Coordinates of all heavy atoms in Angstrom, one line a residue:
G1273 N -118.5 -41.7 -92.3 CA -117.9 -43.0 -92.5 C -118.9 -44.0 -93.0 O -118.6 -44.8 -93.9
M1274 N -120.1 -44.0 -92.3 CA -121.1 -45.0 -92.8 C -121.7 -44.5 -94.1 O -122.0 -45.4 -95.0 CB -122.3 -45.0 -91.7 CG -121.9 -45.5 -90.4 SD -123.2 -45.6 -89.2 CE -124.3 -46.8 -89.9
D1275 N -121.7 -43.2 -94.4 CA -122.1 -42.7 -95.7 C -121.2 -43.2 -96.8 O -121.7 -43.6 -97.9 CB -122.2 -41.2 -95.7 CG -122.5 -40.6 -97.0 OD1 -123.6 -40.9 -97.5 OD2 -121.6 -39.9 -97.6
R1276 N -119.9 -43.3 -96.6 CA -119.0 -43.8 -97.6 C -119.3 -45.2 -97.9 O -119.1 -45.6 -99.1 CB -117.5 -43.5 -97.2 CG -117.1 -42.1 -97.3 CD -115.6 -42.0 -97.2 NE -115.1 -42.2 -95.8 CZ -115.1 -41.2 -94.9 NH1 -115.6 -40.0 -95.1 NH2 -114.7 -41.5 -93.6
L1277 N -119.7 -46.0 -97.0 CA -120.0 -47.4 -97.2 C -121.3 -47.5 -98.0 O -121.4 -48.3 -99.0 CB -120.2 -48.2 -95.9 CG -118.9 -48.6 -95.2 CD1 -119.3 -49.3 -93.9 CD2 -118.1 -49.5 -96.0
V1278 N -122.3 -46.6 -97.7 CA -123.5 -46.6 -98.5 C -123.3 -46.3 -99.9 O -123.9 -46.8 -100.8 CB -124.6 -45.7 -97.8 CG1 -125.8 -45.6 -98.7 CG2 -124.9 -46.2 -96.4
Q1279 N -122.4 -45.3 -100.1 CA -122.0 -44.9 -101.5 C -121.5 -46.1 -102.3 O -121.6 -46.1 -103.5 CB -121.0 -43.8 -101.5 CG -121.6 -42.5 -101.0 CD -120.5 -41.4 -101.0 OE1 -119.4 -41.5 -101.6 NE2 -120.7 -40.3 -100.2
R1280 N -120.9 -47.1 -101.6 CA -120.4 -48.2 -102.3 C -121.4 -49.4 -102.2 O -121.0 -50.6 -102.3 CB -119.0 -48.6 -101.7 CG -117.9 -47.7 -102.2 CD -116.7 -47.7 -101.3 NE -115.7 -46.8 -101.8 CZ -115.8 -45.5 -101.7 NH1 -116.8 -44.9 -101.1 NH2 -114.8 -44.7 -102.2
N1281 N -122.6 -49.1 -101.9 CA -123.7 -50.1 -101.8 C -123.4 -51.1 -100.7 O -123.7 -52.3 -100.8 CB -123.9 -50.8 -103.1 CG -124.8 -50.0 -104.0 OD1 -125.5 -49.1 -103.6 ND2 -124.9 -50.4 -105.3
V1282 N -122.8 -50.7 -99.6 CA -122.6 -51.5 -98.4 C -123.4 -50.9 -97.3 O -123.2 -49.8 -96.9 CB -121.1 -51.7 -98.0 CG1 -121.0 -52.5 -96.7 CG2 -120.3 -52.3 -99.1
L1283 N -124.3 -51.7 -96.7 CA -125.1 -51.3 -95.6 C -124.5 -51.8 -94.3 O -124.5 -53.0 -94.0 CB -126.5 -51.8 -95.8 CG -127.5 -51.4 -94.7 CD1 -127.7 -49.9 -94.7 CD2 -128.9 -52.1 -94.9
A1284 N -124.0 -50.8 -93.5 CA -123.5 -51.2 -92.1 C -124.6 -51.1 -91.1 O -125.3 -50.1 -91.0 CB -122.3 -50.3 -91.8
M1285 N -124.8 -52.2 -90.4 CA -125.9 -52.2 -89.4 C -125.6 -51.3 -88.2 O -126.5 -51.0 -87.4 CB -126.2 -53.6 -88.9 CG -126.6 -54.6 -90.1 SD -128.0 -53.9 -91.0 CE -128.2 -55.1 -92.3
S1286 N -124.4 -50.9 -88.0 CA -124.0 -50.0 -86.9 C -122.7 -49.4 -87.1 O -121.9 -49.9 -87.9 CB -123.9 -50.8 -85.6 OG -122.8 -51.7 -85.6
G1287 N -122.5 -48.2 -86.5 CA -121.2 -47.6 -86.6 C -120.1 -48.4 -86.0 O -118.9 -48.3 -86.4
R1288 N -120.4 -49.3 -85.0 CA -119.5 -50.1 -84.4 C -118.8 -51.1 -85.4 O -117.6 -51.3 -85.4 CB -120.2 -51.0 -83.3 CG -119.2 -51.9 -82.5 CD -120.0 -52.9 -81.7 NE -120.8 -52.1 -80.6 CZ -120.4 -51.9 -79.4 NH1 -119.2 -52.4 -79.0 NH2 -121.2 -51.3 -78.5
A1289 N -119.6 -51.5 -86.4 CA -119.1 -52.4 -87.4 C -118.1 -51.7 -88.3 O -117.0 -52.2 -88.7 CB -120.2 -52.9 -88.3
V1290 N -118.3 -50.4 -88.6 CA -117.4 -49.6 -89.4 C -116.1 -49.4 -88.7 O -115.0 -49.6 -89.2 CB -118.0 -48.2 -89.8 CG1 -117.1 -47.5 -90.7 CG2 -119.4 -48.4 -90.4
E1291 N -116.2 -49.1 -87.4 CA -115.0 -48.9 -86.6 C -114.2 -50.2 -86.5 O -113.0 -50.3 -86.6 CB -115.3 -48.5 -85.2 CG -115.3 -47.0 -85.0 CD -115.4 -46.5 -83.6 OE1 -115.3 -47.4 -82.7 OE2 -115.6 -45.3 -83.4
A1292 N -114.9 -51.3 -86.3 CA -114.3 -52.6 -86.1 C -113.5 -52.9 -87.4 O -112.4 -53.6 -87.4 CB -115.3 -53.7 -85.8
A1293 N -114.1 -52.6 -88.6 CA -113.4 -52.8 -89.9 C -112.0 -52.1 -89.9 O -111.1 -52.6 -90.5 CB -114.3 -52.3 -91.0
G1294 N -112.0 -50.9 -89.3 CA -110.7 -50.2 -89.2 C -109.7 -50.8 -88.4 O -108.5 -50.6 -88.5
D1295 N -110.1 -51.7 -87.4 CA -109.1 -52.3 -86.5 C -108.9 -53.8 -86.9 O -108.3 -54.5 -86.0 CB -109.6 -52.2 -85.1 CG -109.5 -50.8 -84.5 OD1 -108.5 -50.1 -84.9 OD2 -110.3 -50.4 -83.7
V1296 N -109.4 -54.3 -88.0 CA -109.3 -55.7 -88.3 C -107.8 -56.1 -88.5 O -107.0 -55.4 -89.0 CB -110.0 -56.0 -89.7 CG1 -109.6 -57.3 -90.3 CG2 -111.5 -56.0 -89.4
N1297 N -107.5 -57.3 -87.9 CA -106.2 -57.9 -88.0 C -106.1 -59.1 -88.9 O -105.1 -59.3 -89.5 CB -105.7 -58.4 -86.6 CG -105.8 -57.3 -85.5 OD1 -106.7 -57.4 -84.7 ND2 -105.0 -56.3 -85.6
T1298 N -107.2 -59.8 -89.1 CA -107.3 -61.0 -89.9 C -108.4 -60.9 -90.9 O -109.6 -60.5 -90.5 CB -107.4 -62.2 -89.1 OG1 -106.4 -62.3 -88.1 CG2 -107.4 -63.5 -90.0

């Protein structure tokens, strides 16, 4: 999941941030 972000030139500082993105409401 973090690797897919890196492939799009997005650096996630933690896996928690990637998970939170999946639960975003707003």
Side-chain angles (χ1 to χ4, degrees):
M1274 295 182 68
D1275 173 64
R1276 282 192 289 276
L1277 282 178
V1278 174
Q1279 288 177 18
R1280 285 158 179 77
N1281 275 348
V1282 177
L1283 179 64
M1285 300 304 178
S1286 68
R1288 183 190 297 266
V1290 185
E1291 267 191 11
D1295 286 327
V1296 160
N1297 307 107
T1298 303

